[in-house]
């Protein structure tokens, strides 16, 4: 019975995440979709577990270091990606009850992870809390002694600005890494992010992949799915409440009829 349920649930994941994508696109004026993998949004969860109390909209703990390309439309003049680091899961279920100190580093690299140097590196920058840093000869920017306070749901935002010419090619990335320094149980977060241009006339195309670190979904207490593509559509979403439920984050953010 369990195996049959798991197989049935797998068939439902794509429909669940396409519904999320359609809802998200209705609130976005300028296209900024994902072409390979996208940020983690915890949309389907079981009825137990609080999730990661150190998380990000783009950074993950999967450690595979695969490039993640974010697309922009031709209307976008400044390809900026805002990365947040939070003291709560992306579901907003609860926040960490301890302060989190961490260091965030951003490295300018190519798709293979090699450092990118040269005069053009100054066209790339990272801004945090009003402080803007451009890349120097070492192709690395660091923000140290950062602290997420335990008094509430708190997050830090880092704005990554790419050279506009990067919209026509995809060989320069920013590898972002957030490493906790005071809580050993928290895993580092990382991602290699890049940008690329996408034609506004591109037809709607969406693909997704299951991204949790487990050999089987039954080993997890919730499920994450990354969706990539552009365009919008309409789907009917169904699920069995005896086994899973839509997360509060999804309900509160998109206010969909249930």
């Amino acid at each position: 019975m369990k195996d049959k349920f798991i197989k049935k649930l797998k068939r439902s994941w794509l429909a669940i995440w396409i519904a999320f994508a359609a809802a998200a696109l209705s609130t976005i004026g300028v296209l900024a979709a994902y072409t390979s993998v996208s940020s983690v949004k915890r949309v389907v969860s079981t009825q137990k577990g609080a999730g990661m109390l150190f998380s990000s909209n783009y950074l993950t703990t999967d450690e595979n270091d695969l490039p993640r390309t974010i697309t922009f439309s031709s209307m976008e003049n400044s390809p900026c990606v805002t990365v947040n680091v939070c003291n709560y899961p992306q579901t907003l279920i609860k926040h960490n009850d301890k302060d989190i100190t961490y260091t965030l580093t951003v490295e300018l690299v190519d798709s293979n992870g090699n450092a990118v140097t040269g005069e053009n590196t100054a066209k790339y920058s990272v801004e945090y809390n009003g402080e803007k840093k451009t890349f120097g000869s070492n192709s690395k920017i660091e923000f140290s002694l950062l602290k997420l306070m335990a008094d509430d749901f708190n997050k830090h935002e880092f704005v990554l600005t790419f050279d506009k010419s990067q919209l026509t090619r995809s060989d320069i990335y920013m590898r972002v890494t957030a490493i906790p320094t005071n809580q050993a149980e928290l895993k580092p977060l990382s991602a290699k992010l890049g940008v690329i241009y996408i034609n506004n006339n591109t037809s709607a195309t969406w693909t997704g992949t299951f991204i949790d670190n487990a050999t089987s979904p039954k080993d997890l207490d919730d499920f994450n799915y990354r969706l990539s593509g552009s365009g919008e559509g309409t789907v009917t979403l169904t699920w069995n409440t005896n086994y899973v439920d839509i997360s509060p984050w999804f309900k509160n953010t998109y206010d969909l009829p249930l």
Side-chain angles (χ1 to χ4, degrees):
M1 179 65 71
K2 182 183 293 185
D3 291 339
K4 290 182 178 179
F5 161 68
I6 294 298
K7 292 179 180 178
K8 183 176 181 181
L9 182 58
K10 285 182 177 179
R11 291 195 297 269
S12 303
W13 285 337
L14 185 57
I16 290 172
W17 280 92
I18 292 176
F20 159 70
L25 283 166
S26 67
T27 65
I28 298 175
V30 176
L31 175 63
Y34 300 95
T35 56
S36 59
V37 289
S38 74
S39 60
V40 177
K41 296 297 185 183
R42 193 181 301 272
V43 174
V44 182
S45 67
T46 59
Q47 296 163 353
K48 64 178 181 178
M52 288 276 293
L53 297 180
F54 182 62
S55 72
S56 170
N57 60 338
Y58 283 97
L59 313 182
T60 71
T61 61
D62 57 24
E63 299 180 350
N64 59 26
D65 201 35
L66 294 175
R68 298 168 185 173
T69 304
I70 303 161
T71 64
F72 289 82
S73 76
S74 59
M75 295 182 293
E76 186 65 40
N77 293 319
S78 179
C80 297
V81 179
T82 300
V83 174
N84 67 41
V85 178
C86 314
N87 69 341
Y88 52 84
Q90 296 297 291
T91 51
L92 286 170
I93 294 174
K94 63 174 293 186
H95 62 78
N96 202 309
D97 59 3
K98 299 177 182 178
D99 292 346
I100 302 174
T101 58
Y102 69 99
T103 297
L104 185 131
T105 59
V106 186
E107 302 168 90
L108 207 59
V109 298
D110 62 20
S111 56
N112 294 318
N114 302 312
V116 173
T117 59
E119 60 182 16
N120 289 332
T121 59
K123 297 179 180 180
Y124 298 80
S125 64
V126 182
E127 183 174 350
Y128 166 69
N129 200 26
E131 180 183 8
K132 186 176 183 178
K133 296 183 178 183
T134 57
F135 288 90
S137 58
N138 62 357
S139 299
K140 186 176 182 178
I141 290 174
E142 180 175 294
F143 296 90
S144 58
L145 302 177
L146 300 173
K147 181 181 287 189
L148 289 164
M149 304 299 291
D151 59 344
D152 203 347
F153 291 86
N154 288 307
K155 69 178 178 180
H156 294 157
E157 293 187 335
F158 304 85
V159 180
L160 316 182
T161 300
F162 291 78
D163 179 7
K164 188 177 180 180
S165 67
Q166 180 71 359
L167 288 173
T168 60
R169 59 193 180 94
S170 182
D171 194 39
I172 298 181
Y173 296 81
M174 292 194 202
R175 181 163 56 200
V176 186
T177 306
I179 302 178
T181 56
N182 70 326
Q183 294 192 46
E185 67 274 16
L186 298 178
K187 294 182 179 181
L189 304 170
S190 64
K192 187 191 296 178
L193 304 174
V195 297
I196 196 170
Y197 165 83
I198 187 170
N199 193 303
N200 290 334
N201 296 323
T202 301
S203 60
T205 303
W206 289 93
T207 60
T209 182
F210 176 69
I211 58 100
D212 291 289
N213 293 325
T215 57
S216 172
K218 65 184 179 182
D219 297 327
L220 301 170
D221 64 356
D222 47 34
F223 304 92
N224 289 287
Y225 206 79
R226 285 196 186 123
L227 221 156
S228 61
S230 62
E232 60 180 294
T234 301
V235 300
T236 300
L237 174 64
T238 61
W239 64 92
N240 189 332
T241 55
N242 291 326
Y243 302 102
V244 297
D245 197 4
I246 298 297
S247 74
W249 177 88
F250 187 85
K251 296 176 182 177
N252 295 337
T253 302
Y254 295 105
D255 192 27
L256 297 179
L258 300 175

